[in-house]
């Protein structure tokens, strides 16, 4: 499989990465090189094989249903580019 | 007592500190001075001299009272992927250039609990994506190693390139690192140091900037096997804040160093004899086999038939998880923000400006293999192949094999710039290490000797899950038999 230019642009949109037009064809070449590298997997017989979900047999642990954290609103917004009180500020979404 | 305390190993420094023949403040000051002279290597992204001296002073007080912890007064470097409270944590990325965590990673907090001193934060490939430390937004790390008679700058490997270079250049007694596809073991091999990626779940991932969560593991890089074992004991352990960390007792790994390896069964996987493997790598591997045989181990040939599919499967699984993990960098809650026409454009501009080329490429690949219509063909197939890779190891271990011996890398270190325009050739660096992450196993890289160009080459030992002690014993046997690794003299300080 290989990707065409419209697909590269669609992936960039899905990935939320602005893609200058002059970079698209270069990136197309790189992505296709990687896709042809991974195409080797097509020759593996994976019928009746379960996909890996965890390398270590792990069971989800339960803990008491009590509050263990919180009251740290200052900490949470301290690295934000724009805040007001304890809110994150973003460009207007709804007119 | 030597004049230059940076020449001591971690174990020697620990003993000298405990005996009060050396103070942590003097040791720390010697390292801070060494770091100052090593700026051309670009190993440190941030130095924390005031913090280091304060921690050293406290350590000296504790040592004076006879209350020192296992690492009391030992100066360490921290890969800049570990969140450190109040100290910038960049992950080698523009997008986190000014990020100051309000919390501490569990692994680093355990080092401070045990008395260690923080010298600063170490350079790395951006978000740990790379095998040469050239993808760092803050410039590549220069290896302390050079070919004799050459001034060409070599890579220290990656992604833990700053960690490996700093340890090899004697800028710290040991360093934290992380390994998603080989990022501890490959730089250790390139710099003549020892690096161990423990079993998945052995160390907490809490507070370590995530790359590919099902593959990432923390581990140390150190100057010898004993020092790595000492650090491992402090770094390992169960953490309620990481649901994938495992609740098993942490051994005193140092006790395994020097233990007999007589009767251990060592598998030699024939699939690691790859086409075009340089003769010096093949020779090193044979030498390693002989060393372990001489130490009393039994050598058997084994087969891991799905080995060649590990790297392609990795380059689906790791980018897929990365695209998901890196979705959080959107210019809203932390990190860089670049304004846009609307919120969608703001996300796009922020991520285009904040991520470097390799990170953008991997996020794009990951987005593609997870997208509707391609998920089964790529991602699910890769996870099935991963099951087969793990079964290969399980079959070999079920036959009684204790550990596997392989080369750590397909070559010695290469020059800065040599592979930067060829992603796939760069990816092949991890051909011997990536299987271990795919199967969640422990792996250690230990120096084996020098290449024809007089650059370090490493051997890798792969163990059974949670049997890191066996790896420390076997690596120590190799270290004992191998020619002593003489680290480079500080040409960079001239």
């Amino acid at each position: 499989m290989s990707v065409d230019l419209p697909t590269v642009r669609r992936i960039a949109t899905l990935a939320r990465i602005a893609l200058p037009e002059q970079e698209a064809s270069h990136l197309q070449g790189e992505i296709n090189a990687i896709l042809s590298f991974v195409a080797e997997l097509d020759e593996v017989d994976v019928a009746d094989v379960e996909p890996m979900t965890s390398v270590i047999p792990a069971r989800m642990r339960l803990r008491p249903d009590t509050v263990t954290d919180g009251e740290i609103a200052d900490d949470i917004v301290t690295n934000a580019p724009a805040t007001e009180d304890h809110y994150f500020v973003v460009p207007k979404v709804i007119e | 007592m030597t004049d230059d305390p940076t020449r001591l190993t971690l174990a020697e420094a620990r003993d000298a500190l405990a005996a009060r023949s050396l103070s942590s403040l003097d040791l720390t000051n010697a390292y801070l001075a060494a770091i100052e002279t090593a700026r051309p290597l670009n190993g440190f992204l941030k130095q924390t001299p005031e913090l280091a001296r304060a921690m050293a002073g406290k350590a000296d007080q504790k040592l004076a009272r006879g209350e020192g912890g296992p690492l009391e007064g030992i100066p360490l470097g921290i890969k800049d992927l570990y969140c450190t409270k109040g100290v910038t944590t960049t992950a080698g990325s523009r997008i986190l250039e000014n990020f100051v965590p309000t919390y501490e990673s569990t692994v680093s907090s355990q080092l401070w609990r045990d008395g260690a001193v923080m010298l600063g934060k170490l350079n790395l490939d951006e978000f740990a994506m790379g095998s040469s430390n050239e993808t760092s937004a803050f410039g590549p790390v220069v290896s302390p190693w050079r070919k004799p008679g050459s001034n060409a700058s070599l890579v220290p490997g990656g992604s833990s390139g700053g960690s490996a270079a700093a340890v090899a250049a004697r800028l710290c007694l040991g360093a934290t690192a992380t390994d998603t596809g080989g990022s501890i073991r490959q730089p250790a091999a390139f710099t003549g140091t020892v690096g161990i990626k423990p079993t998945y779940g052995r160390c907490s991932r809490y507070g370590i900037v995530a790359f590919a969560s099902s593959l990432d593991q923390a581990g140390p890089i150190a100057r010898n096997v004993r020092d790595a074992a000492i650090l491992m004991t402090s770094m390992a352990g169960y953490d309620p804040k990481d649901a994938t960390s495992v609740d098993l007792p942490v051994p005193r790994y140092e006790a395994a160093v020097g233990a007999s390896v007589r009767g251990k069964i060592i598998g030699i996987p024939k699939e690691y004899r790859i086409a075009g493997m340089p003769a010096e790598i093949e020779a090193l591997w044979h030498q390693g086999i002989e060393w372990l045989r001489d130490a009393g181990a039994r050598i058997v040939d084994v087969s891991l038939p799905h080995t060649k599919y590990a790297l392609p499967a990795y380059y689906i699984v790791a980018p897929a998880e990365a695209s998901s993990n890196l979705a959080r960098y959107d210019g809203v809650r932390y990190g860089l923000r670049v304004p846009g026409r609307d919120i969608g454009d703001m996300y796009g501009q922020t991520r285009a400006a904040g991520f470097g080329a390799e990170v953008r490429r991997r996020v794009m690949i990951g987005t593609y293999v997870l997208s509707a219509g391609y998920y089964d063909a790529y991602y699910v197939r890769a996870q099935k192949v991963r099951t087969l890779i793990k079964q290969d190891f399980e079959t070999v271990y079920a036959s009684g094999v204790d550990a596997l011996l392989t080369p750590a890398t397909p070559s010695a270190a290469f020059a800065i710039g040599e592979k930067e325009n060829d992603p796939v050739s760069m990816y092949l660096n991890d051909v011997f290490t990536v299987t271990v992450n795919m199967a969640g196993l422990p792996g250690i890289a230990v120096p084996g000797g020098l290449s024809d160009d007089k650059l370090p080459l490493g051997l890798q030992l792969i163990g059974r899950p949670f049997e890191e002690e066996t790896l420390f014993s076997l690596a120590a046997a190799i270290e004992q038999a191998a020619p002593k690794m003489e680290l480079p003299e500080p040409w960079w300080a001239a």
Side-chain angles (χ1 to χ4, degrees):
Chain A
M1 273 185 271
S2 62
V3 293
D4 55 16
L5 269 178
T7 305
V8 172
R9 289 192 205 100
R10 188 176 64 85
I11 301 168
T13 305
L14 288 173
R16 300 288 185 269
I17 297 175
L19 184 62
E21 197 45 51
Q22 66 274 17
E23 276 185 29
S25 70
H26 182 63
L27 196 59
Q28 181 193 10
E30 289 180 339
I31 290 175
N32 282 331
I34 294 166
L35 291 178
S36 85
F37 172 62
V38 303
E40 208 177 351
L41 296 181
D42 292 342
E43 68 193 50
V44 186
D45 180 4
V46 292
D48 304 322
V49 178
E50 283 295 311
M52 170 82 76
T53 50
S54 170
V55 284
I56 298 299
R59 237 171 347 106
M60 272 296 161
R61 281 178 292 261
L62 298 178
R63 64 169 176 83
D65 185 15
T66 52
V67 177
T68 59
D69 206 351
E71 308 292 334
I72 52 166
D74 286 343
D75 281 1
I76 288 170
V77 298
T78 187
N79 277 291
T83 60
E84 217 175 284
D85 300 327
H86 281 150
Y87 292 93
F88 299 112
V89 176
V90 296
K92 201 170 198 176
V93 177
I94 300 165
E95 290 300 330
Chain B
M1 193 77 254
T2 163
D3 289 344
D4 178 2
T6 68
R7 300 277 161 158
L8 299 173
T9 67
L10 193 157
E12 288 166 352
R14 173 193 63 184
D15 297 345
L17 287 166
R20 311 286 294 139
S21 60
L22 174 68
S23 77
S24 177
L25 194 56
D26 285 347
L27 181 63
T28 299
N29 279 327
Y31 275 108
L32 292 171
I35 294 167
E36 271 305 312
T37 67
R39 284 177 183 261
L41 301 183
N42 200 28
F44 278 80
L45 291 178
K46 169 111 185 157
Q47 300 173 33
T48 53
E50 286 168 22
L51 181 61
R53 290 193 186 98
M55 291 172 97
K58 278 195 187 138
D60 281 329
Q61 290 172 13
K62 277 193 155 184
L63 288 159
R65 293 196 301 266
E67 293 169 5
L71 294 173
E72 201 69 51
I74 297 290
L76 301 177
I78 301 296
K79 185 178 184 178
D80 207 19
L81 203 62
Y82 289 67
C83 286
T84 41
K85 189 174 182 176
V87 177
T88 50
T89 299
T90 67
S93 182
R94 287 277 167 226
I95 214 159
L96 286 177
E97 189 168 4
N98 299 309
F99 177 63
V100 182
T102 55
Y103 55 94
E104 186 79 22
S105 85
T106 296
V107 166
S108 56
S109 75
Q110 291 176 181
L111 295 171
W112 316 142
R113 171 202 70 197
D114 286 353
V117 169
M118 179 161 88
L119 292 168
K121 304 296 291 289
L122 295 163
N123 204 344
L124 70 158
D125 278 300
E126 184 175 7
F127 285 105
M129 298 181 195
S131 304
S132 65
N133 218 114
E134 291 168 286
T135 73
S136 168
F138 309 107
V141 175
V142 175
S143 175
W145 288 86
R146 295 197 290 201
K147 294 179 191 174
S150 164
N151 288 336
S153 292
L154 301 178
V155 303
S159 68
S160 309
S163 304
V167 170
R170 301 185 191 87
L171 309 182
C172 54
L173 271 171
T176 66
T178 60
D179 191 315
T180 303
S183 282
I184 290 175
R185 292 158 288 155
Q186 183 255 20
F190 276 12
T191 57
T193 56
V194 175
I196 179 165
K197 181 204 92 74
T199 313
Y200 186 80
R202 183 67 284 191
C203 290
S204 170
R205 291 180 296 107
Y206 176 80
I208 298 173
V209 176
F211 162 14
S213 303
S214 78
L215 301 161
D216 297 345
Q217 237 335 260
I221 293 179
R223 278 183 231 157
N224 61 37
V225 176
R226 179 177 299 276
D227 290 0
I230 293 168
L231 289 169
M232 194 69 243
T233 295
S234 288
M235 293 170 72
Y238 169 63
D239 177 12
K241 290 176 181 160
D242 175 2
T244 63
S245 81
V246 173
D247 195 0
L248 286 175
V250 179
R252 199 177 143 265
Y253 290 112
E254 190 182 359
V257 178
S260 170
V261 300
R262 191 158 296 283
K264 293 279 182 209
I265 301 177
I266 307 301
I268 309 300
K270 66 172 189 219
E271 289 80 7
Y272 282 61
R273 198 160 282 118
I274 54 170
M277 186 153 83
E280 61 187 7
I281 300 291
E282 179 92 36
L284 171 80
W285 196 8
H286 280 291
Q287 182 65 75
I289 291 169
E290 287 314 312
W291 287 330
L292 289 181
R293 202 196 307 270
D294 291 346
R298 217 178 96 213
I299 308 296
V300 295
D301 288 322
V302 299
S303 174
L304 300 166
H306 295 91
T307 296
K308 74 167 181 166
Y309 302 112
L311 204 52
Y314 173 85
Y315 275 96
I316 292 173
V317 173
E321 294 186 17
S323 74
S324 175
N325 271 325
L326 271 58
R328 70 189 73 179
Y329 304 103
D330 57 4
V332 174
R333 286 155 298 162
Y334 35 72
L336 179 77
R337 171 184 289 191
V338 176
R341 295 184 304 277
D342 51 34
I343 193 164
D345 192 43
M346 182 198 86
Y347 294 151
Q349 298 298 339
T350 295
R351 290 161 64 80
F355 293 149
E358 180 65 23
V359 172
R360 292 200 303 273
R361 187 155 56 221
R362 294 205 201 185
V363 168
M364 296 268 290
I365 290 278
T367 303
Y368 179 64
V369 300
L370 291 176
S371 65
Y374 299 98
Y375 180 82
D376 286 332
Y378 285 113
Y379 186 71
V380 174
R381 172 170 284 267
Q383 290 288 45
K384 288 180 175 177
V385 171
R386 198 173 168 190
T387 298
L388 294 171
I389 291 164
K390 185 161 190 279
Q391 284 173 357
D392 284 354
F393 283 104
E394 286 168 348
T395 304
V396 165
Y397 289 140
S399 75
V401 166
D402 291 299
L404 304 161
L405 178 73
T406 77
T409 58
S411 73
F414 43 91
I416 290 178
E418 193 176 321
K419 292 181 195 271
E420 68 185 346
N421 294 318
D422 185 356
V424 172
S425 148
M426 185 69 89
Y427 295 172
L428 288 173
N429 262 286
D430 294 333
V431 65
F432 297 138
T433 48
V434 77
T435 52
V436 175
N437 302 77
M438 294 299 269
L441 300 171
I444 191 168
V446 60
L450 298 178
S451 69
D452 298 341
D453 286 330
K454 305 295 175 212
L455 297 176
L457 295 173
L459 287 162
Q460 173 179 237
L461 290 151
I462 304 169
R464 295 163 172 260
F466 301 104
E467 292 189 13
E468 284 83 1
E469 288 165 289
T470 305
L471 295 186
F472 283 123
S473 299
L474 290 165
I478 289 175
E479 186 178 59
Q480 180 94 41
K484 183 165 164 42
M485 182 58 61
E486 299 290 350
L487 294 172
E489 290 304 315
W491 51 264
W492 52 88

